Amino acid sequence: MLRSMFAAVSGLRSHQIMMDTVGNNIANVNTVGFKSSSTVFSDVLSQQLSGAGLPALGTVGGTNPRQLGLGVRLQAIQMNFTQGAAQLTGRSTDFSIQGDGLFVVNIAGTQAFSRAGSFSLDALGQLVTPDGGMVQGWSATNGVVNTNGSVGTLRVPVGQSIPATTTGSIKIGGNLPADASDGTGTDPATVLSSSIDVYNSLGTAIPIRVDYTKVPNGAGTVDWQVDAYDPDGNKIAGPMTLQFSQSNGEITVPAGRSLNLTAAQLGNIKVGGSAPAGGWNTSGITLDFGSATAADRLTGAAKTNSVSALSQDGAPLGTLVSFGVSQEGLISGVFSNGKNEQLGQIALAAFTNPTGLEKLGGSLYRATVNSGAALIGTAGTGGRGTVSGGTVEMSNVDLAQEFTNLIVAQRGFQANSRVITASDEVLQDLVNMKR
């Protein structure tokens, strides 16, 4: 009778822990990055009333041991590291991990790990957790991230500027009409133009105009004269020759499909009658007419006039206006001059046994002797998941399952309490026998 009572007491304790675990799961149903837990029970040592009997052939059969269980014990509380649903937040400092891995966080010099990617920027531009933990990764140097170095605190330099980029190439595409007038008849020679702003070393925008003048064709070619002009209308380069094949309308001269405005020619540019401050690349500016297979290359077919300057690679001084993250965890800044530059890369940690991590509170974990060492690297490599920006991972608590577990725990607790009540009644009857 006493054994049944003590066994039931162990059942009460175990089911109370089960209810505590379920209650904690339900309480954290909306906690970002939370991983639910479940309890595992096992029986305790059994008292052997008699051992097993050896069978004797033709005489007596064998007998099984008679053992009396002494109750139940909590064997483990297992964490469930399945993926939680992603919630779109739109905040550029919110990140979620799709797959395995955890963010690396430095808390007062202690390395911790988290699945909760609800971060923000502090006064120093550091990427931090709500509790002030510093998110770890690799910061960029001159727009380049070196992931071979040690991890450190990630910083997004709000207000950072990047220097002006001197124009080195102008991309020209479209079509120069092969049947345009070359001035040998009654019509004047056709002159077509394309204009674009280029930037010198100080980021000054200077409009350059390129004229294309139809000239009499050579043997098997369609010929154009190319001249470049500054904003004041002064010719700074030309005449240069541009020839197309009469058979297919593709450029034959120059063979490299580009012309060059030299640094000396660019140095003669006048704006409002004076030379603007700033210099140019020693190689000047290349007028690039596109590769022979490019869809936006310059061609020389008939009828259509669509020549234009498509783009150039220079830019003025730019300041950081926004940033985003790639699936590899690479943080890229968008600057006011339209340029993109790498700012850093988020580090992720993988563990051989993530369920062996120790919870620290604040959605943080710490490595233990049974979790294995943290394998820190970039997202999408070494079994680590990918990073999604503007989203956070929600709790993986399944309310339907938790309410079911709550009922099971309640009934288990209730049944064990009934065993104690029944044992007490039997003891009471035994005491009453003396009366």
Side-chain angles (χ1 to χ4, degrees), residues 10 40-46 67-75:
S10 70
V40 179
F41 295 159
S42 68
D43 61 341
V44 296
L45 181 67
S46 296
Q67 295 175 294
L68 182 61
L70 300 179
V72 65
R73 68 182 179 91
L74 179 69
Q75 189 175 40

Side-chain angles (χ1 to χ4, degrees), residues 25-26 49 69 81 103 129 139 186 235 248 264 292 330 352 358 415:
N25 290 341
I26 295 175
L49 302 179
F81 261 86
F103 298 109
T129 68
S139 296
T186 58
K235 181 188 289 189
N248 59 15
L330 193 64
T352 305
E358 177 185 347

